[in-house]
Amino acid sequence: MVRPVRVEGWNRPAYLHRDARRPRKVDARAFLSPFDPVVWLRERTEKLFDFHYRIEIYVPKAKRQWGYFVLPILRGDRLVGRIDPAFDRRANVLRVHAVHAQSDARTDDWSPARRSIEELASWLGAGEVLWPELPAVWR
């Protein structure tokens, strides 16, 4: 069962499960797939998170703004940046082509994101992670 709710600044229908409770603190850390419901509805993502997201796999390389398979970085209840990783199986290396921080990203947002990429590398069996230059807030 769901019940209609009002979301401040949102003029479309919204619903909440009748048993849902607002958590006191959201302690999430993840890279979101382009198919994740958080970013799937682009208009909602832009409105709620002030985060414009488009996957750029079909964008010509010269016109890409963020990267071929760029993923949003989720930290807590905020989208704090973007990362463009790719696993090079031949070289057994996880190459992080780009890391971008949102304007409101905080210094402490990077450590959980770095742990996530290191866990991804381990899961893939990568022997190494190659990093690009990080945004100033995360150096």
Side-chain angles (χ1 to χ4, degrees), residues 5-7 9-15 41-44 47:
V5 294
R6 183 175 169 348
V7 177
W10 189 251
N11 60 1
R12 300 178 84 185
Y15 303 92
L41 294 173
R42 296 173 181 170
E43 182 184 344
R44 181 184 66 187
K47 187 81 168 166

Side-chain angles (χ1 to χ4, degrees), residues 53-74:
Y53 177 68
R54 303 293 184 271
I55 188 168
E56 297 181 330
I57 59 176
Y58 300 112
V59 175
K61 189 172 186 175
K63 294 184 176 185
R64 290 181 194 141
Q65 183 178 5
W66 308 107
Y68 178 79
F69 201 77
V70 69
L71 305 172
I73 302 171
L74 176 67

Side-chain angles (χ1 to χ4, degrees), residues 20-63:
R21 299 289 176 257
R22 184 175 179 173
R24 292 175 191 231
K25 180 181 177 189
V26 176
D27 191 26
R29 68 175 169 90
F31 303 123
L32 301 179
S33 157
F35 312 107
D36 190 288
V38 172
V39 294
W40 183 41
L41 294 173
R42 296 173 181 170
E43 182 184 344
R44 181 184 66 187
T45 303
E46 290 179 29
K47 187 81 168 166
L48 295 178
F49 296 98
D50 193 25
F51 192 91
H52 177 82
Y53 177 68
R54 303 293 184 271
I55 188 168
E56 297 181 330
I57 59 176
Y58 300 112
V59 175
K61 189 172 186 175
K63 294 184 176 185

